[in-house]
Amino acid sequence: MALSTGVSSPSLLRRMNAAEVLRHAWSADAVTASDLIALTGLTRSTVLGVCDDLIDHGWMVSLADARSTGEYRKGRPARRYALARSAGHVVGVDAGRHHLTAVVADLRGDVVARVARRIDPDGTADDRRRTVSRLVDDVLGEASLGDADVLAVALGVPAPTDSEGRSPIEVGADFWVLMNPDYTGLFAERGWAVVVENDANLAAVAEAAAASRADREVDGGAGAATSFVTLLAGERFGAGFVLDGALVRGSRGAAGEMRLLDLVEGVGSADGLGALLRDWARAARELGTVPASSPLRAIPLDELEAPAVLAAADAGDPTALRLVEKAAERFGRVCAMLSGMLDVDRIVVAGAVAPSLGLLLDRTTPWLSRFTHRAAPEVVASTLGDAVVTTGAVERALAHVRGHALELTLPGAADATRAS
């Protein structure tokens, strides 16, 4: 049934038709007028008129017709259209405690620039705001873009956030406020739509999007896990919950905060796998329990990090293997706790440390089976590496743009009258 049925306001009707046509252009390399007629139920004249309006206002471009590209032989040549992917851009930021990364992506989500740097974890909130602002300036410079080219920015922070992008102000929450020093206000001053979200939630958004794309490519979209946990596992554990296909945020955005691990026997803190392996290896060195034959002995103490421990374990070093086994038992308890509470199909371990975790996750599985009272969930390493939060940030910023497209003014289209 055509979208126009039952709608009395011509302006509302045009907006609905434009939004529906644009929705089908977001993920396709190209669509024909015939495609859009079949997908929307609109008449040919309505589809052509809507596409012309969207072209006038910068959202779509007209491509060479199918006959000229050799894809069409008989009858009327099909008019072909595509999203104007470079008509606007979004910014995604991973504003972590120790590291910052910013990316710029086009309207199809393809990254066109990336800048990363370290930040003083003990700096002030004002220091953090200035550094993040400069980082965004730098990544826009790398992309040869300015503020006017940006439609939305999404930032991932290691703190819970509410629907307005604010973190709770309460006793013991100074760290959260430091990690989220009013980024909403900072970037709203540039005229952008701003989304501030917990970093683990953005990681879960990224994993859900990646799983959905992979699933469509393999079997048309029937088999992706709909309930899973994404765990950022570097310095501290942070969890993003997707249950029955929906991201769970909680009443104050604090779902997935892992302070409760303080209470879990055999765990005792929310320290992540990266921090644990580093600290345990350095402690062993200082105690003199790392033999001279171990590769961990030759690394300068202040450079001894989790990837070196994991690499040594992969190479069969006994000291590193003991540390990995210790981490695997502890991580098995964490996974068992999450599995018991949430009944998830999968636990995805994400972040910069994820690509090195193969052996540790293999060692985790027997412990998880021992600690659970039903079939254990699959525990896998993310394939997105240290880009997982920025990937989720881009997805979230694009979701905002898609949901508000007809309310936005594209760069270079300020004088156009939007289809309304």
Side-chain angles (χ1 to χ4, degrees):
M1 182 172 64
L3 294 177
S4 56
T5 302
V7 179
S8 58
S9 166
S11 63
L12 177 59
L13 172 59
R14 287 196 298 273
R15 288 180 65 85
M16 290 175 62
N17 290 342
E20 183 65 7
V21 168
L22 189 56
R23 183 173 72 87
H24 291 290
W26 282 113
S27 59
D29 290 331
V31 289
T32 66
S34 298
D35 293 333
L36 292 170
I37 291 166
L39 291 167
T40 65
L42 297 169
T43 66
R44 180 176 180 83
S45 61
T46 298
V47 165
L48 295 179
V50 166
C51 288
D52 286 343
D53 283 344
L54 290 170
I55 290 170
D56 288 343
H57 296 100
W59 284 106
M60 293 178 68
V61 294
S62 180
L63 304 175
D65 65 46
R67 178 175 291 164
S68 65
T69 64
E71 299 174 13
Y72 193 89
R73 294 289 184 269
K74 297 180 180 179
R76 178 189 298 174
R79 296 182 63 175
R80 299 167 69 247
Y81 305 94
L83 181 73
R85 60 192 305 158
S86 297
H89 292 79
V90 299
V91 176
V93 181
D94 179 0
R97 183 182 181 189
H98 296 82
H99 297 88
L100 304 174
T101 305
V103 301
V104 177
D106 64 20
L107 295 180
R108 285 290 298 276
D110 289 339
V111 172
V112 298
R114 180 182 187 272
V115 174
R117 63 174 54 107
R118 293 185 64 85
I119 186 172
D120 180 1
D122 300 318
T124 68
D126 286 342
D127 291 339
R128 186 165 285 268
R129 281 166 58 92
R130 283 191 294 269
T131 304
V132 170
S133 184
R134 285 196 299 268
L135 181 78
V136 171
D137 289 338
D138 291 346
V139 78
L140 289 177
E142 286 286 325
S144 299
L145 299 172
D147 283 7
D149 298 298
V150 176
L151 300 176
V153 58
L155 301 98
V157 297
T161 62
D162 63 17
S163 60
E164 302 298 322
R166 297 171 301 215
S167 294
I169 300 175
E170 57 186 45
V171 175
D174 293 347
F175 175 79
W176 291 344
V177 176
L178 175 62
M179 293 297 103
N180 180 18
D182 189 24
Y183 288 131
T184 300
L186 176 65
F187 289 106
E189 293 175 356
R190 302 195 186 198
W192 303 342
V194 185
V195 178
V196 181
E197 179 61 274
N198 172 260
D199 54 2
N201 283 348
L202 291 182
V205 168
E207 293 297 335
S212 179
R213 285 191 292 269
D215 192 45
R216 288 195 300 269
E217 292 171 1
V218 171
D219 60 11
T226 59
S227 295
F228 65 92
V229 174
T230 300
L231 272 176
L232 291 178
E235 287 299 313
R236 290 180 64 81
F237 285 120
F241 303 150
V242 174
L243 301 182
D244 298 327
L247 181 69
V248 177
R249 301 186 72 258
S251 61
R252 298 182 302 161
E257 282 300 312
M258 302 297 283
R259 291 185 178 184
L260 82 167
L261 292 179
D262 295 356
L263 308 176
V264 176
E265 182 181 356
V267 179
S269 78
D271 292 344
L273 294 174
L276 291 170
L277 289 171
R278 177 196 64 219
D279 293 347
W280 290 344
R282 291 183 182 183
R285 277 276 299 277
E286 291 174 339
L287 290 171
T289 59
V290 179
S293 59
S294 172
L296 302 182
R297 182 76 172 268
I299 301 171
L301 190 62
D302 60 355
E303 298 177 14
L304 183 53
E305 300 285 347
V309 179
L310 292 164
D314 286 339
D317 176 60
T319 300
L321 284 169
R322 284 193 294 271
L323 296 178
V324 165
E325 187 67 28
K326 181 179 178 182
E329 178 183 359
R330 180 169 171 145
F331 190 48
R333 294 177 185 272
V334 173
C335 293
M337 182 270 296
L338 292 171
S339 173
M341 288 196 304
L342 301 172
D343 191 25
V344 293
D345 307 307
R346 180 180 299 169
I347 296 173
V348 182
V349 189
V353 72
S356 304
L357 288 176
L359 178 62
L360 192 152
L361 298 187
D362 288 344
R363 298 291 181 97
T364 296
T365 299
W367 288 108
L368 178 56
S369 298
R370 181 183 305 183
F371 296 141
T372 54
H373 301 289
R374 60 174 186 84
E378 181 183 22
V379 182
V380 299
S382 170
T383 61
L384 298 177
D386 62 359
V388 66
V389 174
T390 52
T391 299
V394 166
E395 290 281 347
R396 187 66 181 82
L398 285 175
H400 178 90
V401 171
R402 290 166 184 158
H404 299 83
L406 299 183
E407 304 163 23
L408 299 172
T409 300
L410 290 174
D415 297 329
T417 302
R418 188 157 308 286
S420 61

